[in-house]
Amino acid sequence: WTEYKSFYFWVNQQYNIGYDKVDETDSENFEFVPLMTIGYTTKYEYSKKKYYEKSITEGFYPKNYYSDVDTKDSCAQHFFKNIVSITFNEGYKKWMLFGLRAFVEVDFEQNRLQILNKVYRNEFEPEPMITQVLDTTWDVHNQTLVAVGGELFKRKGDTQYGVLGKVLVLGRDNRMAFDVTGDFSTKIKLKDDLNLNILALGHIKSTNPSYFTEHYFSNHFIWENHFNNTWSAKGYGQIGIPYKYCSFKLGAGWQGLKNYIYFDKNAMPTQDNEHFIQIINADLELNLSAWLLHWDNKATFQYVNEPSVLPLPMLSAYSNFYFRHSFFKDDILTVQIGVDCRYNTAYYANAYMPATGVFYLQDEKLIGNYPLMNAYVNLHLKQFRVYLMCYNLSAAFMEPTYFAVPNHPINPIMFKFGLSWNFYD
């Protein structure tokens, strides 16, 4: 049994400083122009994971550290984020062509691991069926993270861009880190109803390893690591032409990873300090429509130079062919009937480890090369929506080799339905 609990709240507050501007068309009306915005964001998040085994299956796990009768593992995290920012807003003057923001981020993090030290077994029973934990303690680790950063941005008009930089001056175990992210987009008019959209984005990051990849205690897995920061660089570009009958997007990108942290074939966290992992990808999105028929398609091609460390499918694709029409006055009823399909080429997808809830490397079972098809009907009547679906229709005419991850098949053919009713005018 695995139990996850999560709770969070998030509050964002802003105070604008500016002046009242007289409306040029009506001198009695005023428009408030914000020159500066002072912001405060706070977020608290609590997460907890428990893993139970009332009886341990012999041979399933290679090691039992504190009990060979039952398992009671637990870990938790409290995370409290605070961000104070000041922003000089874009466009409050004609010469102010972009906005500027500076911020300070202070995070308080508490990680908790349950440590079970002593176990009592009833030696008078022929088999040790009674187990009592005599000493249960929590290993508590508190950490304060402090980051400063700034952003230059333009989010109005046909051409938009932004550059954000953040430096973690006080990181995990006093380790520094940084993040530089940028994006750019523009529209070039080709005809009256036809535009060429251009998008570019990228980042350079140095990231502290997470606490639980370095420290963990449980009945079947214990590790104590000191990893280096992971490094990531990424660049991506995309062009697209949206049009009502035929729209497309074509993109390509590159990403490099150094000191990549993964879970090896023994489901233990490992850092690759030798290889510079590179991922090259290209994606295409093509949507066609004629009369009441629509055909939406997406495909992503990927190449990774170290598939033994980071396995990825060479091709992932999605296609959706459907009929859609609105009936009656004011389009009261909308009907959509179609078939969609998801497909990826076979690859050694990561296996799942139930004791820790992580995915780890394996090279014994290929996953994929199976089209997952679903036939569906969607109805939308004012505030009422309903759908009907025949899930995994492919199983009716293909060999049942449908697995999400090794040893975890997806559901066979099944019928689903759902409804949503909003009670408002």
Side-chain angles (χ1 to χ4, degrees):
W1 293 263
T2 302
E3 178 183 311
Y4 292 94
K5 291 183 178 180
S6 180
F7 165 81
Y8 77 93
F9 73 85
W10 177 85
V11 178
N12 184 38
Q13 304 173 75
Q14 292 185 344
Y15 180 75
N16 293 317
I17 301 173
Y19 65 93
D20 291 327
K21 180 181 178 181
V22 179
D23 192 337
E24 296 179 356
T25 60
D26 188 351
S27 60
E28 296 184 357
N29 292 332
F30 296 88
E31 178 186 1
F32 180 75
V33 179
L35 304 179
M36 180 189 303
T37 301
I38 299 175
Y40 172 65
T41 300
T42 181
K43 179 181 179 181
Y44 169 76
E45 184 171 2
Y46 170 73
S47 303
K48 187 174 184 179
K49 174 184 177 294
K50 293 183 178 180
Y51 177 70
Y52 301 98
E53 290 174 292
K54 293 183 178 180
S55 60
I56 295 179
T57 301
E58 184 178 355
F60 188 83
Y61 293 109
K63 295 181 180 180
N64 302 324
Y65 286 103
Y66 63 75
S67 174
D68 54 16
V69 178
D70 62 359
T71 297
K72 296 179 181 179
D73 295 338
S74 184
C75 61
Q77 183 186 72
H78 298 266
F79 191 76
F80 186 40
K81 178 184 290 291
N82 299 271
I83 303 176
V84 178
S85 65
I86 180 170
T87 304
F88 296 94
N89 294 305
E90 165 193 0
Y92 71 86
K93 293 290 186 180
K94 292 183 178 180
W95 50 267
M96 192 64 177
L97 302 179
F98 51 81
L100 292 171
R101 182 171 73 101
F103 61 90
V104 177
E105 180 178 330
V106 180
D107 302 334
F108 303 98
E109 179 181 294
Q110 182 184 86
N111 299 288
R112 301 166 62 90
L113 276 171
Q114 189 176 22
I115 307 296
L116 308 181
N117 295 325
K118 298 179 181 179
V119 177
Y120 167 78
R121 293 184 177 87
N122 190 337
E123 298 178 356
F124 297 99
E125 294 288 338
E127 294 184 2
M129 299 300 295
I130 301 175
T131 301
Q132 180 181 1
V133 178
L134 298 181
D135 188 2
T136 302
T137 60
W138 284 90
D139 180 22
V140 180
H141 180 268
N142 297 314
Q143 184 75 48
T144 301
L145 311 173
V146 180
V148 296
E151 181 181 13
L152 184 149
F153 61 90
K154 182 180 182 295
R155 300 305 180 191
K156 297 179 181 180
D158 291 340
T159 299
Q160 301 182 9
Y161 55 84
V163 178
L164 184 146
K166 183 171 73 170
V167 178
L168 191 65
V169 295
L170 182 61
R172 193 176 311 281
D173 298 330
N174 298 323
R175 286 178 284 186
M176 295 184 62
F178 68 87
D179 180 359
V180 179
T181 303
D183 65 87
F184 173 85
S185 64
T186 188
K187 295 180 181 179
I188 300 175
K189 195 167 186 177
L190 302 178
K191 292 183 178 180
D192 292 340
D193 58 347
L194 202 62
N195 296 320
L196 173 65
N197 296 338
I198 300 175
L199 170 69
L201 53 87
H203 72 241
I204 300 176
K205 297 181 181 181
S206 171
T207 307
N208 289 168
S210 67
Y211 175 82
F212 290 110
T213 58
E214 294 194 307
H215 314 281
Y216 195 73
F217 177 90
S218 67
N219 193 20
H220 305 300
F221 292 91
I222 296 177
W223 60 72
E224 193 70 27
N225 301 312
H226 185 79
F227 292 137
N228 298 321
N229 279 13
T230 59
W231 292 77
S232 173
K234 180 180 180 180
Y236 177 80
Q238 183 187 81
I239 60 172
I241 299 179
Y243 190 60
K244 59 182 178 179
Y245 298 116
C246 176
S247 65
F248 83 93
K249 294 179 181 178
L250 179 63
W254 169 89
Q255 184 173 6
L257 300 171
K258 185 64 176 175
N259 297 337
Y260 176 65
I261 297 175
Y262 62 97
F263 286 83
D264 62 18
K265 297 176 183 178
N266 297 317
M268 297 288 287
T270 305
Q271 186 166 55
D272 185 354
N273 297 313
E274 299 179 0
H275 302 102
F276 180 60
I277 302 174
Q278 300 187 66
I279 306 167
I280 300 174
N281 72 285
D283 56 75
L284 172 65
E285 181 176 336
L286 178 63
N287 300 328
L288 305 174
S289 61
W291 187 54
L292 304 177
L293 300 177
H294 302 265
W295 190 22
D296 300 341
N297 301 274
K298 295 180 181 180
T300 298
F301 300 89
Q302 300 174 117
Y303 167 79
V304 58
N305 65 333
E306 296 293 339
S308 61
V309 176
L310 181 58
L312 294 174
M314 182 175 294
L315 169 65
S316 298
Y318 172 76
S319 184
N320 185 14
F321 183 75
Y322 57 95
F323 164 91
R324 185 175 64 191
H325 185 57
S326 297
F327 297 89
F328 308 115
K329 186 178 179 180
D330 299 327
D331 298 335
I332 295 177
L333 175 63
T334 301
V335 177
Q336 181 181 356
I337 304 173
V339 177
D340 67 5
C341 179
R342 292 170 173 83
Y343 172 83
N344 63 265
T345 53
Y347 72 112
Y348 289 107
N350 287 347
Y352 178 72
M353 175 52 64
T356 54
V358 301
F359 292 89
Y360 65 97
L361 294 179
Q362 61 88 25
D363 57 3
E364 298 179 356
K365 179 68 175 178
L366 287 169
I367 302 297
N369 197 27
Y370 178 82
L372 176 62
M373 299 179 64
N374 306 304
Y376 64 89
V377 177
N378 293 327
L379 303 174
H380 187 187
L381 177 63
K382 290 187 175 182
Q383 283 76 41
F384 182 78
R385 292 179 297 162
V386 63
Y387 81 86
L388 305 171
M389 176 185 289
C390 178
Y391 175 79
N392 195 7
L393 186 62
S394 314
F397 52 86
M398 294 194 66
E399 183 181 356
T401 58
Y402 37 86
F403 281 80
V405 295
N407 304 316
H408 291 268
I410 61 177
N411 287 317
I413 294 180
M414 60 189 303
F415 291 92
K416 298 182 178 183
F417 75 94
L419 59 88
S420 172
W421 194 344
N422 296 320
F423 293 95
Y424 61 85
D425 294 333

